[in-house]
Amino acid sequence: MSAEKMETRSVSNGAGPLYEEKEENLSPEDLSEMLAAGTKEVHEKAENTQFVKDFLRGRIRKELFKLGAVALYYTYTAIEEEIERNKDHPHFAPLYFPVELHRHEALAHDLEYFYGPEWQGQVSCSQATQRYVDRIHQVGQEDPVLLVAHAYTRYMGDLSGGQVLKKVAQRALKLPTTGEGLEFYQFDAIHSAKAFKQLYRSRMNELELDMDTKKRLVDEAVKAFQFNMEVFEELEDIGKTTQEDVSDAGMPVHGEMGGDISKCPYYAAKMAASGGTAYACQLAMAVLRHPTGQVLFATWFAALAGLAAWYLM
């Protein structure tokens, strides 16, 4: 990427290295833009699975949350094994950020919290997760450039929306405020998520890839979302046989607002993040006139910015 396409300014990462926040004039042929556009439809489908909608409502069965963490553990173990295998590959090396991004150790700590010190003997890889894991290993061993799609799908999504999901889970499951059971959602080595995501996307855009490879990466990212949806559906099926009580500690979803997305607080946050400041302010005022909106707005405004970034990934 040529120097004239961006302006840079230094952003300190606290415990980590110094990052540059880059304001880019992106092209539709940039990989980050192609991935965002090419996965938009499947991304929205994933967000509208029943499991995700229930999660955002705060209607979380503890047993399902634990099984979700198990699925993530096996998924991230596979991704990070293949990343380590291919860390020097020219099409992945610029995206190698183990200190900042790797999650399998944090997930191991979460599973130890939920299952105890002998947790490894109590968990197993589900069928849907195994299909996802098998694909990741196949890509890492046969076509490493496609690892970029899997890393993009998982890490950018978890980094963007993680803080919102952490707050919902912490409240619904009454987990300790000190973070036990939720280490997966904490990226301690990243001080500015926005700056880091800009760095990551700029690194993707600088990879020396032809158009055919970029299209294959978009196709692989779509597959990654589909694998995630299969895991969600599997958890939904398990939930149908689970009689555990759930609490309602989250946010209303679009379907509970009469189908009018403009009434959704997430939509207001998304508009604000994308530059629709005046519209978002008007919408926020309308929400505040409603008693329920007043409570939700006061509790969740800070969290919405994080989820908005996830929508715009």
Side-chain angles (χ1 to χ4, degrees), residues 110-162:
D110 289 342
L111 294 179
E112 183 174 1
Y113 172 81
F114 286 117
Y115 290 96
E118 305 299 321
W119 66 270
Q120 289 178 307
Q122 300 182 51
V123 303
S124 61
C125 189
S126 71
Q127 290 183 357
T129 304
Q130 189 63 56
R131 289 191 290 271
Y132 193 3
V133 165
D134 289 344
R135 178 58 182 173
I136 292 165
H137 284 308
Q138 180 185 6
V139 161
Q141 294 170 31
E142 298 177 5
D143 199 357
V145 68
L146 296 184
L147 273 179
V148 173
H150 289 278
Y152 164 85
T153 302
R154 287 286 357 158
Y155 290 122
M156 293 297 98
D158 293 326
L159 180 59
S160 297

Side-chain angles (χ1 to χ4, degrees), residues 2-313:
S2 61
E4 63 267 23
K5 290 188 71 175
M6 65 182 70
E7 296 178 0
T8 64
R9 61 187 181 90
S10 297
V11 177
S12 175
N13 188 276
L18 188 73
Y19 297 126
E20 288 185 331
E21 185 171 353
K22 302 184 178 183
E23 297 179 359
E24 302 179 53
N25 296 317
L26 296 171
S27 161
E29 294 186 356
D30 283 330
L31 179 59
S32 66
E33 295 300 286
M34 290 180 65
L35 283 167
T39 61
K40 184 178 186 293
E41 181 178 351
V42 70
H43 193 166
E44 291 174 354
K45 286 182 180 179
E47 290 168 353
N48 283 286
T49 58
Q50 193 61 45
F51 180 80
V52 173
K53 290 193 291 186
D54 284 345
F55 196 133
L56 290 172
R57 287 191 187 103
R59 296 185 58 79
I60 309 169
R61 289 180 171 87
K62 188 172 184 179
E63 215 39 55
L64 290 187
F65 184 81
K66 290 162 61 177
L67 290 174
V70 171
L72 287 170
Y73 172 77
Y74 285 107
T75 300
Y76 274 100
T77 297
I79 288 176
E80 287 158 14
E81 284 177 357
E82 296 305 330
I83 285 175
E84 287 299 319
R85 183 198 307 272
N86 293 284
K87 63 184 178 181
D88 296 322
H89 191 284
H91 290 151
F92 194 87
L95 302 177
Y96 182 62
F97 291 100
V99 174
E100 292 85 352
L101 293 179
H102 284 194
R103 298 285 88 200
H104 79 277
E105 288 186 8
L107 282 159
H109 294 158
D110 289 342
L111 294 179
E112 183 174 1
Y113 172 81
F114 286 117
Y115 290 96
E118 305 299 321
W119 66 270
Q120 289 178 307
Q122 300 182 51
V123 303
S124 61
C125 189
S126 71
Q127 290 183 357
T129 304
Q130 189 63 56
R131 289 191 290 271
Y132 193 3
V133 165
D134 289 344
R135 178 58 182 173
I136 292 165
H137 284 308
Q138 180 185 6
V139 161
Q141 294 170 31
E142 298 177 5
D143 199 357
V145 68
L146 296 184
L147 273 179
V148 173
H150 289 278
Y152 164 85
T153 302
R154 287 286 357 158
Y155 290 122
M156 293 297 98
D158 293 326
L159 180 59
S160 297
Q163 293 310 302
V164 173
L165 299 179
K166 175 185 175 183
K167 290 177 185 295
V168 173
Q170 191 172 63
R171 185 175 177 183
L173 300 176
K174 299 179 173 59
L175 296 173
T177 57
T178 46
E180 287 91 337
L182 296 167
E183 288 190 31
F184 167 70
Y185 298 104
Q186 291 191 192
F187 291 81
D188 293 332
I190 297 177
H191 177 67
S192 169
K194 178 182 177 182
F196 185 85
K197 286 184 293 182
Q198 288 179 332
L199 170 69
Y200 197 90
R201 292 189 183 104
S202 71
R203 291 282 186 91
M204 286 198 306
N205 294 336
E206 290 166 0
L207 294 174
E208 297 290 336
L209 304 173
D210 58 33
M211 184 55 63
D212 179 67
T213 302
K214 290 179 182 180
K215 290 178 180 178
R216 291 198 302 118
L217 278 165
V218 172
D219 291 341
E220 190 68 25
V222 170
K223 289 179 184 177
F225 275 106
Q226 291 170 339
F227 281 122
N228 279 284
M229 284 192 287
E230 289 179 11
V231 173
F232 296 155
E233 290 164 2
E234 185 179 60
L235 290 170
E236 288 170 24
D237 288 341
I238 294 171
K240 292 174 183 176
T241 62
T242 303
Q243 300 301 317
E244 185 181 354
D245 290 337
V246 296
S247 59
D248 195 340
M251 295 289 293
V253 294
H254 301 163
E256 294 179 336
M257 297 183 178
D260 184 356
I261 192 173
S262 67
K263 296 178 183 178
C264 175
Y266 295 143
Y267 184 75
K270 180 178 178 180
M271 289 298 295
S274 63
T277 307
Y279 178 87
C281 289
Q282 293 171 5
L283 185 56
M285 291 301 294
V287 171
L288 282 171
R289 294 191 190 102
H290 193 282
T292 303
Q294 293 168 7
V295 175
L296 293 173
F297 190 87
T299 307
W300 289 96
F301 180 76
L304 291 176
L307 189 60
W310 188 28
Y311 274 113
L312 297 170
M313 183 177 69

